[in-house]
Amino acid sequence: MTTHAPIHPAEQSTNPTQPVHPRGYRARVLLTSVFGPYARDDAYGSRALNPMELYHNQVTRVQGPFSLRMFHRSWGIMLIQANISAASTLLDFPKRDTFVRELATQAYDIVGISSIIPNVEKVREMCALVRIHQPGATIVVGGHVANMPDLNARIDADHIVRGEGVRWMRAFLGEDVNQPIRHPRIVSGIGGRIMGTRLSSKPGETAAALIPSVGCPMGCNFCSTSAMFGGKGRCVHFFESGDELFEVMCGLERDLRVRSFFVMDENFLMHRKRALRLLELIRTHGKSWTLYVFSSANVLRQYTLEQLIDLGISWVWMGLEGANADYAKLRDSDTHALVRTLQAHGICVLGSSIIGLEEHDPENIDAAIDYAVSHNTDFHQFMLYTPLPGTPLHAQHRSAGDLLGPDEFPEADAHGQSAFNYRHARIPRGQETEFLLRAFQRDYLENGPSFVRLARTMLMGWQRHKHDARRAVRDRITWETRGLATTYAGALWAARRWFRENLALSRKISELLREFYREFGLRSRLAAPLIGRFVHAMMVREDRRLRRGWTYEPPTFRETQPALQSIPSTPLS
């Protein structure tokens, strides 16, 4: 049974003070993310240290050419566009002049801007540009930036929307807020590259984004996502049942030609009733789908390995936080054993750890880093303990009076990868930056590049399940590991050559490569040096570009949707 209090669609939209636009669903709508460029320091709050790349930003940032580079679209505004009947245009990753040109050449009644807190200056500028070029337009601002308590005084917007935006926008347009959610067709990542080579963008090669719910009922004190959607004990379910979710996944499978799904749900498996019904349907229909999910340790432990494998879980993003972190999601969990068990079955783990917890200081920070690194997860995210507006942690520090003001700490740097936005009781100001970098570097140099760890876990999954009695599991494992014998072997050969002067890592990679040779035989032995020489050459080229200051920026997307002829009004079941 679900142990939290979901916010149902009708509950989200019964606010008697909800505004309605005079033109209703006949309004012309522009939805946009903030303008770029992003991976550079500028007057609008962009930071070179905070590129528009989740993995390179927070997970593989010190891994050079081994860093996983990828962009993710602005799924929130894509979800809104798919669920309104008004004629709409969506701009994703526009340049400033692109945004100005759109305003100067197209007429809009509503301009919706989505942003995170570090980009608040860009939001301010975009609001000012709307007032100049479209003075009659209504400006709506949403996303995490809406959690800022003084945002009304900082920007010139008509409405600031805190929380889930689909139903707010439907209500603003005078539409039926209880109509079913229409899931957009979204490829989860674009522009992927690693080791200097582009990842395939052929249909079906990249997972579809699947958004079952938003928010997390665990309510960790630092979690801005949980705070944004109701806080502890609450979340918003777009699809309440396993049947609804299965239908959506079948549609994504058909339209995007995919068999893998990046499940954008902060704790997907926590909705146990929905997950088990989905599992039942997957088994009944023989689906060999792959799921990449977020989950907490204690929730994972509520499922058997057989259930996780049959669900298709092959990648888990899991909070480890810290050795003494007192979070309910970790209580009584042996996270080391859990990580090893998952990896032994081919389930890759991205661990997430916090630098700068209350008990951390210069004397014990190395022990804290060692604890995180000892998990040897396939990927590892490190973040500073950062009180963001709207969270209990922010309220705690505001009450204590130790938050830094904007003159001391610009919001543009409040992204968790630079410095504290408050005075830490035990860590002298400025030292946290080096501690964070130390954590990334230790994980990289002791455990090796994430790609190497990923290859190891995938090999274990193949060896354990290649002869599995369940046909769907065999099919999934075969598909997931289709490049192991050749492409991955070649990349390991290149990695070994890259670290030829680092004896410890070179030996580790050599042993893994020998395992590949034993498993796949002559095919791997022939492919490894042929592919490896090419990959190594590309890595050398990539490394030179990065050292010269090369950065990656996402392409701009402009997508239009005509007004629907009729407004769907079927209520959610």
Side-chain angles (χ1 to χ4, degrees):
M1 295 294 292
T2 307
T3 57
H4 46 86
I7 303 174
H8 292 282
E11 294 180 51
Q12 282 279 297
S13 307
T14 55
N15 183 354
T17 63
Q18 166 74 47
V20 178
H21 193 276
R23 296 201 66 197
Y25 62 86
R26 294 179 181 84
R28 297 156 298 183
V29 181
L30 173 63
L31 300 169
T32 181
S33 58
V34 296
F35 61 81
Y38 308 99
R40 65 184 66 179
D41 296 336
D42 68 18
Y44 297 112
S46 286
R47 293 291 186 266
L49 194 59
N50 189 33
M52 192 65 77
E53 300 175 79
L54 175 62
Y55 293 104
H56 183 65
N57 183 329
Q58 302 176 5
V59 182
T60 56
R61 58 175 280 193
V62 302
Q63 297 190 20
F66 288 100
S67 183
L68 177 59
R69 313 299 295 261
M70 186 183 299
F71 300 106
H72 302 282
R73 294 287 306 278
S74 300
W75 299 346
I77 55 176
M78 295 178 77
L79 185 65
I80 292 174
Q81 184 183 43
N83 284 280
I84 58 175
S85 301
S88 62
T89 298
L90 188 146
L91 283 181
D92 209 0
F93 312 130
K95 302 294 188 292
R96 184 181 180 279
D97 59 353
T98 308
F99 180 64
V100 170
R101 184 165 58 250
E102 186 71 27
L103 295 175
T105 59
Q106 304 293 326
Y108 292 105
D109 302 297
I110 301 168
V111 177
I113 304 169
S114 178
S115 176
I116 57 175
I117 290 172
N119 288 324
V120 64
E121 285 302 307
K122 292 191 176 187
V123 177
R124 185 192 62 77
E125 174 70 3
M126 293 174 81
C127 289
L129 291 170
V130 175
R131 296 300 188 214
I132 293 171
H133 297 281
Q134 302 259 0
T138 299
I139 301 175
V140 180
V141 171
H144 285 277
V145 72
N147 280 340
M148 294 182 66
D150 63 343
L151 188 60
N152 273 316
R154 298 282 301 276
I155 65 173
D156 182 10
D158 298 293
H159 303 289
I160 295 173
V161 181
R162 295 177 174 88
E164 195 272 301
V166 171
R167 291 170 179 85
W168 189 96
M169 187 61 78
R170 280 177 168 175
F172 190 52
L173 294 170
E175 299 186 23
D176 179 359
V177 298
N178 293 325
Q179 59 187 291
I181 292 291
R182 298 184 289 274
H183 199 290
R185 275 38 183 165
I186 306 174
V187 175
S188 62
I190 56 172
R193 60 188 297 120
I194 191 170
M195 299 174 75
T197 62
R198 293 181 181 274
L199 301 179
S200 174
S201 58
K202 293 180 181 177
E205 290 292 320
T206 305
L210 177 68
I211 313 173
S213 310
V214 289
C216 179
M218 296 304 298
C220 294
N221 66 334
F222 59 84
C223 183
S224 59
T225 303
S226 177
M228 183 176 175
F229 297 105
K232 190 175 182 67
R234 298 177 73 82
C235 61
V236 179
H237 294 317
F238 294 129
F239 305 100
E240 180 67 44
S241 71
D243 295 86
E244 291 175 300
L245 203 54
F246 183 77
E247 183 179 354
V248 169
M249 294 171 76
C250 287
L252 294 172
E253 177 187 45
R254 178 190 65 245
D255 296 343
L256 296 179
R257 296 158 57 187
V258 298
R259 57 187 297 175
S260 58
F261 303 88
F262 185 96
V263 185
M264 189 62 249
D265 186 314
E266 294 291 319
N267 212 331
F268 172 65
L269 297 173
M270 193 170 187
H271 194 330
R272 185 172 174 83
K273 180 180 179 181
R274 181 177 64 186
L276 291 180
R277 175 57 179 159
L278 178 62
L279 171 59
E280 181 182 354
L281 291 167
I282 286 174
R283 285 170 169 168
T284 299
H285 293 272
K287 294 293 187 181
S288 54
W289 287 338
T290 292
L291 274 64
Y292 311 113
V293 305
F294 295 78
S295 184
S296 56
N298 278 347
V299 168
L300 281 168
R301 291 168 56 218
Q302 296 174 18
Y303 293 81
T304 67
L305 272 169
E306 180 182 6
Q307 289 172 328
L308 294 176
I309 295 298
D310 281 4
L311 261 173
I313 306 298
S314 72
W315 185 94
V316 174
W317 190 313
M318 180 172 64
L320 303 172
E321 315 313 358
N324 301 312
D326 186 26
Y327 293 110
K329 64 183 180 182
L330 293 166
R331 209 158 291 152
D332 301 321
S333 288
D334 183 344
T335 52
H336 288 89
L338 179 59
V339 168
R340 289 194 299 270
T341 299
L342 294 172
Q343 290 175 328
H345 286 266
I347 300 175
C348 302
V349 180
L350 192 160
S352 179
S353 296
I354 297 173
I355 300 298
L357 289 167
E358 285 94 340
E359 69 270 16
H360 288 171
D361 60 34
E363 284 67 46
N364 64 29
I365 194 64
D366 281 315
I369 293 172
D370 287 342
Y371 172 81
V373 170
S374 67
H375 285 83
N376 198 9
T377 55
D378 302 277
F379 294 84
H380 211 125
Q381 176 194 43
F382 292 96
M383 296 287 289
L384 291 176
Y385 198 41
T386 303
L388 293 174
T391 64
L393 184 62
H394 187 272
Q396 172 190 328
H397 282 281
R398 184 178 59 208
S399 177
D402 55 19
L403 291 172
L404 298 176
D407 293 338
E408 299 174 279
F409 191 91
E411 284 93 350
D413 294 319
H415 47 70
Q417 289 295 316
S418 176
F420 291 138
N421 60 347
Y422 63 103
R423 296 176 183 84
H424 195 285
R426 300 165 66 92
I427 297 177
R429 189 175 177 189
Q431 290 190 14
E432 71 275 13
T433 305
E434 191 277 325
F435 292 162
L436 182 67
L437 191 60
R438 188 187 306 179
F440 278 114
Q441 291 173 333
R442 189 170 302 171
D443 179 62
Y444 175 51
L445 294 176
E446 291 192 15
N447 293 324
S450 288
F451 164 78
V452 173
R453 299 177 239 173
L454 182 71
R456 174 201 62 201
T457 298
M458 292 175 67
L459 179 63
M460 288 192 288
W462 163 256
Q463 291 171 331
R464 184 174 288 268
H465 293 290
K466 61 182 176 181
H467 299 307
D468 198 286
R470 297 158 291 183
R471 179 177 179 179
V473 174
R474 293 197 310 275
D475 288 348
R476 175 173 67 82
I477 293 296
T478 300
W479 179 78
E480 289 176 355
T481 61
R482 60 198 179 281
L484 277 186
T486 53
T487 304
Y488 279 74
L492 286 173
W493 190 96
R496 181 180 64 179
R497 184 172 180 181
W498 187 266
F499 288 108
R500 58 186 178 273
E501 295 181 5
N502 184 322
L503 296 181
L505 274 181
S506 180
R507 281 195 293 266
K508 182 180 294 188
I509 298 170
S510 292
E511 177 52 37
L512 180 58
L513 189 56
R514 283 193 290 271
E515 287 188 46
F516 270 65
Y517 292 163
R518 287 192 291 268
E519 181 64 32
F520 300 112
L522 186 61
R523 185 160 54 130
S524 273
R525 291 181 180 274
L526 292 175
L530 291 175
I531 295 174
R533 287 188 176 90
F534 169 78
V535 173
H536 186 268
M538 297 302 291
M539 289 179 65
V540 171
R541 178 174 176 265
E542 181 80 350
D543 187 56
R544 287 173 180 164
R545 294 171 71 182
L546 295 175
R547 290 179 183 277
R548 289 197 300 264
W550 178 269
T551 59
Y552 289 99
E553 295 285 347
T556 298
F557 293 85
R558 184 182 188 274
E559 296 159 346
T560 60
Q561 176 177 280
L564 299 184
Q565 295 302 309
S566 60
I567 303 176
S569 58
T570 305
L572 283 171
S573 57

